[in-house]
PDB file of all heavy atoms in Angstrom:
ATOM      1  N   ALA A   1     -35.506   7.767  -9.049  1.00 97.00           N
ATOM      2  CA  ALA A   1     -35.525   8.864 -10.063  1.00 97.00           C
ATOM      3  C   ALA A   1     -34.003   9.274 -10.340  1.00 97.00           C
ATOM      4  O   ALA A   1     -33.748   9.712 -11.513  1.00 97.00           O
ATOM      5  CB  ALA A   1     -36.207  10.134  -9.492  1.00 97.00           C
ATOM      6  N   HIS A   2     -33.079   9.082  -9.453  1.00 96.00           N
ATOM      7  CA  HIS A   2     -31.728   9.447  -9.783  1.00 96.00           C
ATOM      8  C   HIS A   2     -30.664   8.354  -9.198  1.00 96.00           C
ATOM      9  O   HIS A   2     -29.904   8.612  -8.366  1.00 96.00           O
ATOM     10  CB  HIS A   2     -31.448  10.736  -8.968  1.00 96.00           C
ATOM     11  CG  HIS A   2     -32.353  11.906  -9.370  1.00 96.00           C
ATOM     12  ND1 HIS A   2     -32.200  12.547 -10.538  1.00 96.00           N
ATOM     13  CD2 HIS A   2     -33.290  12.435  -8.629  1.00 96.00           C
ATOM     14  CE1 HIS A   2     -33.204  13.462 -10.589  1.00 96.00           C
ATOM     15  NE2 HIS A   2     -33.883  13.397  -9.515  1.00 96.00           N
ATOM     16  N   PRO A   3     -30.778   7.159  -9.839  1.00 95.00           N
ATOM     17  CA  PRO A   3     -29.921   6.085  -9.289  1.00 95.00           C
ATOM     18  C   PRO A   3     -28.425   6.471  -9.537  1.00 95.00           C
ATOM     19  O   PRO A   3     -27.544   5.878  -8.840  1.00 95.00           O
ATOM     20  CB  PRO A   3     -30.289   4.869 -10.099  1.00 95.00           C
ATOM     21  CG  PRO A   3     -30.955   5.468 -11.355  1.00 95.00           C
ATOM     22  CD  PRO A   3     -31.596   6.827 -11.015  1.00 95.00           C
ATOM     23  N   ASP A   4     -28.037   7.291 -10.479  1.00 96.00           N
ATOM     24  CA  ASP A   4     -26.633   7.498 -10.785  1.00 96.00           C
ATOM     25  C   ASP A   4     -25.998   8.538  -9.698  1.00 96.00           C
ATOM     26  O   ASP A   4     -24.854   8.688  -9.671  1.00 96.00           O
ATOM     27  CB  ASP A   4     -26.446   8.160 -12.199  1.00 96.00           C
ATOM     28  CG  ASP A   4     -27.349   9.474 -12.280  1.00 96.00           C
ATOM     29  OD1 ASP A   4     -28.554   9.444 -11.831  1.00 96.00           O
ATOM     30  OD2 ASP A   4     -27.003  10.398 -13.076  1.00 96.00           O
ATOM     31  N   LEU A   5     -26.848   9.148  -8.917  1.00 96.00           N
ATOM     32  CA  LEU A   5     -26.448  10.161  -7.907  1.00 96.00           C
ATOM     33  C   LEU A   5     -26.069   9.492  -6.621  1.00 96.00           C
ATOM     34  O   LEU A   5     -25.308  10.116  -5.715  1.00 96.00           O
ATOM     35  CB  LEU A   5     -27.344  11.242  -7.701  1.00 96.00           C
ATOM     36  CG  LEU A   5     -27.785  12.123  -8.837  1.00 96.00           C
ATOM     37  CD1 LEU A   5     -28.747  13.139  -8.467  1.00 96.00           C
ATOM     38  CD2 LEU A   5     -26.418  12.815  -9.375  1.00 96.00           C
ATOM     39  N   TYR A   6     -26.463   8.320  -6.347  1.00 96.00           N
ATOM     40  CA  TYR A   6     -26.299   7.682  -5.030  1.00 96.00           C
ATOM     41  C   TYR A   6     -25.741   6.256  -5.035  1.00 96.00           C
ATOM     42  O   TYR A   6     -26.012   5.475  -5.995  1.00 96.00           O
ATOM     43  CB  TYR A   6     -27.677   7.606  -4.234  1.00 96.00           C
ATOM     44  CG  TYR A   6     -28.432   8.864  -4.183  1.00 96.00           C
ATOM     45  CD1 TYR A   6     -29.489   9.243  -5.063  1.00 96.00           C
ATOM     46  CD2 TYR A   6     -27.938   9.850  -3.248  1.00 96.00           C
ATOM     47  CE1 TYR A   6     -30.114  10.563  -4.947  1.00 96.00           C
ATOM     48  CE2 TYR A   6     -28.563  11.049  -3.098  1.00 96.00           C
ATOM     49  CZ  TYR A   6     -29.578  11.433  -3.911  1.00 96.00           C
ATOM     50  OH  TYR A   6     -30.131  12.668  -3.896  1.00 96.00           O
ATOM     51  N   GLU A   7     -24.929   5.880  -4.099  1.00 95.00           N
ATOM     52  CA  GLU A   7     -24.448   4.613  -3.910  1.00 95.00           C
ATOM     53  C   GLU A   7     -25.234   3.918  -2.632  1.00 95.00           C
ATOM     54  O   GLU A   7     -25.180   4.523  -1.588  1.00 95.00           O
ATOM     55  CB  GLU A   7     -22.907   4.636  -3.579  1.00 95.00           C
ATOM     56  CG  GLU A   7     -22.442   3.343  -3.173  1.00 95.00           C
ATOM     57  CD  GLU A   7     -20.923   3.433  -2.839  1.00 95.00           C
ATOM     58  OE1 GLU A   7     -20.349   4.487  -2.869  1.00 95.00           O
ATOM     59  OE2 GLU A   7     -20.455   2.447  -2.315  1.00 95.00           O
ATOM     60  N   VAL A   8     -25.916   2.854  -2.856  1.00 96.00           N
ATOM     61  CA  VAL A   8     -26.734   2.269  -1.895  1.00 96.00           C
ATOM     62  C   VAL A   8     -25.747   1.577  -0.994  1.00 96.00           C
ATOM     63  O   VAL A   8     -24.912   0.647  -1.442  1.00 96.00           O
ATOM     64  CB  VAL A   8     -27.724   1.231  -2.508  1.00 96.00           C
ATOM     65  CG1 VAL A   8     -28.438   0.420  -1.377  1.00 96.00           C
ATOM     66  CG2 VAL A   8     -28.756   1.911  -3.356  1.00 96.00           C
ATOM     67  N   LEU A   9     -25.838   1.753   0.388  1.00 95.00           N
ATOM     68  CA  LEU A   9     -24.960   1.184   1.472  1.00 95.00           C
ATOM     69  C   LEU A   9     -25.658   0.088   2.069  1.00 95.00           C
ATOM     70  O   LEU A   9     -24.900  -0.753   2.706  1.00 95.00           O
ATOM     71  CB  LEU A   9     -24.541   2.377   2.358  1.00 95.00           C
ATOM     72  CG  LEU A   9     -23.816   3.483   1.662  1.00 95.00           C
ATOM     73  CD1 LEU A   9     -23.479   4.535   2.814  1.00 95.00           C
ATOM     74  CD2 LEU A   9     -22.509   3.018   1.089  1.00 95.00           C
ATOM     75  N   ASP A  10     -27.076   0.098   2.253  1.00 91.00           N
ATOM     76  CA  ASP A  10     -27.706  -0.848   2.978  1.00 91.00           C
ATOM     77  C   ASP A  10     -29.031  -1.318   2.319  1.00 91.00           C
ATOM     78  O   ASP A  10     -29.760  -0.375   1.904  1.00 91.00           O
ATOM     79  CB  ASP A  10     -28.064  -0.349   4.306  1.00 91.00           C
ATOM     80  CG  ASP A  10     -28.605  -1.326   5.291  1.00 91.00           C
ATOM     81  OD1 ASP A  10     -28.757  -2.460   4.874  1.00 91.00           O
ATOM     82  OD2 ASP A  10     -28.847  -1.013   6.498  1.00 91.00           O
ATOM     83  N   ASP A  11     -29.120  -2.477   1.900  1.00 91.00           N
ATOM     84  CA  ASP A  11     -30.319  -2.908   1.198  1.00 91.00           C
ATOM     85  C   ASP A  11     -31.650  -2.942   2.085  1.00 91.00           C
ATOM     86  O   ASP A  11     -32.732  -3.226   1.534  1.00 91.00           O
ATOM     87  CB  ASP A  11     -30.087  -4.308   0.572  1.00 91.00           C
ATOM     88  CG  ASP A  11     -29.063  -4.193  -0.611  1.00 91.00           C
ATOM     89  OD1 ASP A  11     -28.969  -3.186  -1.271  1.00 91.00           O
ATOM     90  OD2 ASP A  11     -28.409  -5.305  -0.845  1.00 91.00           O
ATOM     91  N   VAL A  12     -31.490  -2.729   3.309  1.00 92.00           N
ATOM     92  CA  VAL A  12     -32.627  -2.804   4.261  1.00 92.00           C
ATOM     93  C   VAL A  12     -33.436  -1.507   4.093  1.00 92.00           C
ATOM     94  O   VAL A  12     -32.933  -0.413   4.095  1.00 92.00           O
ATOM     95  CB  VAL A  12     -32.154  -2.868   5.722  1.00 92.00           C
ATOM     96  CG1 VAL A  12     -33.327  -2.938   6.624  1.00 92.00           C
ATOM     97  CG2 VAL A  12     -31.387  -4.131   5.868  1.00 92.00           C
ATOM     98  N   VAL A  13     -34.717  -1.700   3.871  1.00 95.00           N
ATOM     99  CA  VAL A  13     -35.664  -0.580   3.710  1.00 95.00           C
ATOM    100  C   VAL A  13     -36.253  -0.246   4.982  1.00 95.00           C
ATOM    101  O   VAL A  13     -36.762  -1.217   5.587  1.00 95.00           O
ATOM    102  CB  VAL A  13     -36.638  -0.936   2.496  1.00 95.00           C
ATOM    103  CG1 VAL A  13     -37.653   0.171   2.436  1.00 95.00           C
ATOM    104  CG2 VAL A  13     -36.006  -1.178   1.261  1.00 95.00           C
ATOM    105  N   VAL A  14     -36.328   0.934   5.323  1.00 96.00           N
ATOM    106  CA  VAL A  14     -36.909   1.390   6.645  1.00 96.00           C
ATOM    107  C   VAL A  14     -38.122   2.279   6.400  1.00 96.00           C
ATOM    108  O   VAL A  14     -38.158   2.966   5.274  1.00 96.00           O
ATOM    109  CB  VAL A  14     -35.932   2.031   7.577  1.00 96.00           C
ATOM    110  CG1 VAL A  14     -34.776   1.024   7.974  1.00 96.00           C
ATOM    111  CG2 VAL A  14     -35.257   3.311   6.960  1.00 96.00           C
ATOM    112  N   ASP A  15     -39.006   2.443   7.354  1.00 96.00           N
ATOM    113  CA  ASP A  15     -40.192   3.222   7.269  1.00 96.00           C
ATOM    114  C   ASP A  15     -39.969   4.695   7.498  1.00 96.00           C
ATOM    115  O   ASP A  15     -40.662   5.571   6.948  1.00 96.00           O
ATOM    116  CB  ASP A  15     -41.277   2.750   8.178  1.00 96.00           C
ATOM    117  CG  ASP A  15     -41.853   1.424   7.725  1.00 96.00           C
ATOM    118  OD1 ASP A  15     -41.864   1.189   6.572  1.00 96.00           O
ATOM    119  OD2 ASP A  15     -42.221   0.634   8.700  1.00 96.00           O
ATOM    120  N   SER A  16     -38.909   5.116   8.334  1.00 95.00           N
ATOM    121  CA  SER A  16     -38.684   6.433   8.535  1.00 95.00           C
ATOM    122  C   SER A  16     -37.095   6.709   8.405  1.00 95.00           C
ATOM    123  O   SER A  16     -36.454   5.744   8.727  1.00 95.00           O
ATOM    124  CB  SER A  16     -39.238   6.947   9.893  1.00 95.00           C
ATOM    125  OG  SER A  16     -38.588   6.177  10.900  1.00 95.00           O
ATOM    126  N   PRO A  17     -36.759   7.895   8.060  1.00 95.00           N
ATOM    127  CA  PRO A  17     -35.332   8.102   7.920  1.00 95.00           C
ATOM    128  C   PRO A  17     -34.511   8.222   9.261  1.00 95.00           C
ATOM    129  O   PRO A  17     -35.058   8.513  10.165  1.00 95.00           O
ATOM    130  CB  PRO A  17     -35.251   9.508   7.265  1.00 95.00           C
ATOM    131  CG  PRO A  17     -36.489  10.162   7.607  1.00 95.00           C
ATOM    132  CD  PRO A  17     -37.459   9.014   7.595  1.00 95.00           C
ATOM    133  N   ARG A  18     -33.397   7.512   9.280  1.00 95.00           N
ATOM    134  CA  ARG A  18     -32.546   7.513  10.310  1.00 95.00           C
ATOM    135  C   ARG A  18     -31.605   8.685  10.435  1.00 95.00           C
ATOM    136  O   ARG A  18     -31.590   9.367   9.538  1.00 95.00           O
ATOM    137  CB  ARG A  18     -31.672   6.065  10.367  1.00 95.00           C
ATOM    138  CG  ARG A  18     -32.462   4.943  10.498  1.00 95.00           C
ATOM    139  CD  ARG A  18     -31.697   3.790  10.039  1.00 95.00           C
ATOM    140  NE  ARG A  18     -31.498   3.652   8.555  1.00 95.00           N
ATOM    141  CZ  ARG A  18     -31.053   2.674   7.913  1.00 95.00           C
ATOM    142  NH1 ARG A  18     -30.712   1.591   8.646  1.00 95.00           N
ATOM    143  NH2 ARG A  18     -30.983   2.726   6.592  1.00 95.00           N
ATOM    144  N   ASP A  19     -30.858   8.825  11.496  1.00 96.00           N
ATOM    145  CA  ASP A  19     -29.975  10.035  11.685  1.00 96.00           C
ATOM    146  C   ASP A  19     -28.858   9.856  10.615  1.00 96.00           C
ATOM    147  O   ASP A  19     -28.365   8.786  10.289  1.00 96.00           O
ATOM    148  CB  ASP A  19     -29.329  10.052  13.009  1.00 96.00           C
ATOM    149  CG  ASP A  19     -30.277  10.397  14.106  1.00 96.00           C
ATOM    150  OD1 ASP A  19     -31.413  10.981  13.820  1.00 96.00           O
ATOM    151  OD2 ASP A  19     -30.111  10.030  15.282  1.00 96.00           O
ATOM    152  N   VAL A  20     -28.368  11.056  10.196  1.00 95.00           N
ATOM    153  CA  VAL A  20     -27.190  11.096   9.238  1.00 95.00           C
ATOM    154  C   VAL A  20     -25.984  10.708   9.983  1.00 95.00           C
ATOM    155  O   VAL A  20     -25.745  11.137  11.122  1.00 95.00           O
ATOM    156  CB  VAL A  20     -27.172  12.502   8.587  1.00 95.00           C
ATOM    157  CG1 VAL A  20     -25.871  12.730   7.804  1.00 95.00           C
ATOM    158  CG2 VAL A  20     -28.270  12.946   7.893  1.00 95.00           C
ATOM    159  N   VAL A  21     -25.135   9.972   9.314  1.00 94.00           N
ATOM    160  CA  VAL A  21     -23.754   9.625   9.828  1.00 94.00           C
ATOM    161  C   VAL A  21     -22.704  10.481   9.092  1.00 94.00           C
ATOM    162  O   VAL A  21     -22.514  10.293   7.863  1.00 94.00           O
ATOM    163  CB  VAL A  21     -23.496   8.149   9.635  1.00 94.00           C
ATOM    164  CG1 VAL A  21     -21.989   7.781  10.136  1.00 94.00           C
ATOM    165  CG2 VAL A  21     -24.545   7.263  10.383  1.00 94.00           C
ATOM    166  N   TYR A  22     -22.128  11.414   9.815  1.00 93.00           N
ATOM    167  CA  TYR A  22     -21.068  12.286   9.176  1.00 93.00           C
ATOM    168  C   TYR A  22     -19.830  11.629   9.228  1.00 93.00           C
ATOM    169  O   TYR A  22     -19.406  11.209  10.294  1.00 93.00           O
ATOM    170  CB  TYR A  22     -21.133  13.576   9.829  1.00 93.00           C
ATOM    171  CG  TYR A  22     -22.388  14.423   9.674  1.00 93.00           C
ATOM    172  CD1 TYR A  22     -23.373  14.392  10.596  1.00 93.00           C
ATOM    173  CD2 TYR A  22     -22.678  15.068   8.490  1.00 93.00           C
ATOM    174  CE1 TYR A  22     -24.569  15.056  10.538  1.00 93.00           C
ATOM    175  CE2 TYR A  22     -23.773  15.883   8.309  1.00 93.00           C
ATOM    176  CZ  TYR A  22     -24.699  15.792   9.296  1.00 93.00           C
ATOM    177  OH  TYR A  22     -25.849  16.452   9.028  1.00 93.00           O
ATOM    178  N   ILE A  23     -19.081  11.555   8.135  1.00 89.00           N
ATOM    179  CA  ILE A  23     -17.793  10.977   8.112  1.00 89.00           C
ATOM    180  C   ILE A  23     -16.733  11.996   7.869  1.00 89.00           C
ATOM    181  O   ILE A  23     -16.816  12.821   6.935  1.00 89.00           O
ATOM    182  CB  ILE A  23     -17.700   9.992   6.943  1.00 89.00           C
ATOM    183  CG1 ILE A  23     -18.853   8.922   6.917  1.00 89.00           C
ATOM    184  CG2 ILE A  23     -16.334   9.225   6.787  1.00 89.00           C
ATOM    185  CD1 ILE A  23     -18.852   7.966   8.092  1.00 89.00           C
ATOM    186  N   GLU A  24     -15.823  12.137   8.801  1.00 85.00           N
ATOM    187  CA  GLU A  24     -14.817  13.149   8.715  1.00 85.00           C
ATOM    188  C   GLU A  24     -13.692  12.623   7.616  1.00 85.00           C
ATOM    189  O   GLU A  24     -13.378  11.501   7.583  1.00 85.00           O
ATOM    190  CB  GLU A  24     -14.106  13.334  10.022  1.00 85.00           C
ATOM    191  CG  GLU A  24     -14.916  13.974  11.036  1.00 85.00           C
ATOM    192  CD  GLU A  24     -15.292  15.392  10.776  1.00 85.00           C
ATOM    193  OE1 GLU A  24     -14.378  16.212  10.104  1.00 85.00           O
ATOM    194  OE2 GLU A  24     -16.300  15.844  11.093  1.00 85.00           O
ATOM    195  N   PRO A  25     -13.335  13.536   6.753  1.00 79.00           N
ATOM    196  CA  PRO A  25     -12.303  13.074   5.702  1.00 79.00           C
ATOM    197  C   PRO A  25     -10.950  12.816   6.414  1.00 79.00           C
ATOM    198  O   PRO A  25     -10.612  13.574   7.407  1.00 79.00           O
ATOM    199  CB  PRO A  25     -12.161  14.331   4.783  1.00 79.00           C
ATOM    200  CG  PRO A  25     -12.807  15.426   5.562  1.00 79.00           C
ATOM    201  CD  PRO A  25     -13.724  14.964   6.482  1.00 79.00           C
ATOM    202  N   THR A  26     -10.369  11.934   5.919  1.00 78.00           N
ATOM    203  CA  THR A  26      -9.011  11.565   6.577  1.00 78.00           C
ATOM    204  C   THR A  26      -7.918  12.360   5.919  1.00 78.00           C
ATOM    205  O   THR A  26      -8.026  12.646   4.689  1.00 78.00           O
ATOM    206  CB  THR A  26      -8.787  10.012   6.312  1.00 78.00           C
ATOM    207  OG1 THR A  26      -8.668   9.835   4.921  1.00 78.00           O
ATOM    208  CG2 THR A  26      -9.673   9.236   7.032  1.00 78.00           C
ATOM    209  N   VAL A  27      -7.016  12.764   6.696  1.00 75.00           N
ATOM    210  CA  VAL A  27      -5.789  13.527   6.384  1.00 75.00           C
ATOM    211  C   VAL A  27      -4.682  12.544   5.906  1.00 75.00           C
ATOM    212  O   VAL A  27      -4.361  11.725   6.796  1.00 75.00           O
ATOM    213  CB  VAL A  27      -5.363  14.513   7.348  1.00 75.00           C
ATOM    214  CG1 VAL A  27      -4.105  15.377   6.907  1.00 75.00           C
ATOM    215  CG2 VAL A  27      -6.502  15.512   7.763  1.00 75.00           C
ATOM    216  N   PRO A  28      -4.206  12.630   4.693  1.00 77.00           N
ATOM    217  CA  PRO A  28      -3.184  11.717   4.367  1.00 77.00           C
ATOM    218  C   PRO A  28      -1.927  11.890   5.197  1.00 77.00           C
ATOM    219  O   PRO A  28      -1.522  12.994   5.582  1.00 77.00           O
ATOM    220  CB  PRO A  28      -2.868  12.034   2.912  1.00 77.00           C
ATOM    221  CG  PRO A  28      -3.488  13.331   2.664  1.00 77.00           C
ATOM    222  CD  PRO A  28      -4.482  13.658   3.621  1.00 77.00           C
ATOM    223  N   GLN A  29      -1.352  10.810   5.590  1.00 76.00           N
ATOM    224  CA  GLN A  29      -0.136  10.812   6.421  1.00 76.00           C
ATOM    225  C   GLN A  29       1.022  11.210   5.540  1.00 76.00           C
ATOM    226  O   GLN A  29       1.172  10.770   4.499  1.00 76.00           O
ATOM    227  CB  GLN A  29       0.209   9.497   7.064  1.00 76.00           C
ATOM    228  CG  GLN A  29      -0.834   8.990   7.951  1.00 76.00           C
ATOM    229  CD  GLN A  29      -0.945   9.845   9.240  1.00 76.00           C
ATOM    230  OE1 GLN A  29       0.027  10.346   9.735  1.00 76.00           O
ATOM    231  NE2 GLN A  29      -2.095  10.085   9.751  1.00 76.00           N
ATOM    232  N   LYS A  30       1.968  12.045   6.140  1.00 79.00           N
ATOM    233  CA  LYS A  30       3.106  12.423   5.284  1.00 79.00           C
ATOM    234  C   LYS A  30       4.091  11.376   5.265  1.00 79.00           C
ATOM    235  O   LYS A  30       4.405  10.720   6.384  1.00 79.00           O
ATOM    236  CB  LYS A  30       3.724  13.710   6.007  1.00 79.00           C
ATOM    237  CG  LYS A  30       2.974  15.005   5.723  1.00 79.00           C
ATOM    238  CD  LYS A  30       3.674  16.169   6.221  1.00 79.00           C
ATOM    239  CE  LYS A  30       2.891  17.333   6.022  1.00 79.00           C
ATOM    240  NZ  LYS A  30       3.586  18.640   6.553  1.00 79.00           N
ATOM    241  N   GLN A  31       4.708  11.077   4.128  1.00 78.00           N
ATOM    242  CA  GLN A  31       5.651  10.106   4.050  1.00 78.00           C
ATOM    243  C   GLN A  31       7.061  10.650   4.480  1.00 78.00           C
ATOM    244  O   GLN A  31       7.327  11.639   4.119  1.00 78.00           O
ATOM    245  CB  GLN A  31       5.778   9.441   2.628  1.00 78.00           C
ATOM    246  CG  GLN A  31       4.456   8.761   2.107  1.00 78.00           C
ATOM    247  CD  GLN A  31       4.041   7.501   2.902  1.00 78.00           C
ATOM    248  OE1 GLN A  31       5.006   6.860   3.387  1.00 78.00           O
ATOM    249  NE2 GLN A  31       2.915   7.344   3.183  1.00 78.00           N
ATOM    250  N   PRO A  32       7.850   9.854   5.102  1.00 76.00           N
ATOM    251  CA  PRO A  32       9.191  10.332   5.514  1.00 76.00           C
ATOM    252  C   PRO A  32       9.948  10.522   4.243  1.00 76.00           C
ATOM    253  O   PRO A  32       9.877   9.752   3.266  1.00 76.00           O
ATOM    254  CB  PRO A  32       9.803   9.186   6.360  1.00 76.00           C
ATOM    255  CG  PRO A  32       8.976   7.894   6.097  1.00 76.00           C
ATOM    256  CD  PRO A  32       7.608   8.488   5.643  1.00 76.00           C
ATOM    257  N   ARG A  33      10.832  11.576   4.371  1.00 76.00           N
ATOM    258  CA  ARG A  33      11.616  11.964   3.088  1.00 76.00           C
ATOM    259  C   ARG A  33      12.782  10.860   2.988  1.00 76.00           C
ATOM    260  O   ARG A  33      13.315  10.420   3.979  1.00 76.00           O
ATOM    261  CB  ARG A  33      12.271  13.226   3.360  1.00 76.00           C
ATOM    262  CG  ARG A  33      11.360  14.371   3.259  1.00 76.00           C
ATOM    263  CD  ARG A  33      12.067  15.720   3.371  1.00 76.00           C
ATOM    264  NE  ARG A  33      11.825  16.515   2.216  1.00 76.00           N
ATOM    265  CZ  ARG A  33      12.580  17.508   1.861  1.00 76.00           C
ATOM    266  NH1 ARG A  33      13.637  17.809   2.487  1.00 76.00           N
ATOM    267  NH2 ARG A  33      12.255  18.228   0.814  1.00 76.00           N
TER     268      ARG A  33
END
């Protein structure tokens, strides 16, 4: 119904939803002056 809202990560289809994997955003490293 909404293919433009999601990026498919795994083509494997499962019968029940798995646990959510939370990804922490990375903090950009400061470049030396």
Side-chain angles (χ1 to χ4, degrees):
H2 304 285
D4 55 324
L5 297 180
Y6 303 103
E7 175 186 350
V8 176
L9 300 175
D10 189 357
D11 290 330
V12 176
V13 176
V14 296
D15 291 328
S16 61
R18 297 165 284 190
D19 291 338
V20 175
V21 176
Y22 294 99
I23 308 295
E24 292 292 326
T26 57
V27 178
Q29 298 291 324
K30 290 185 178 181
Q31 297 295 327
R33 290 182 124 195

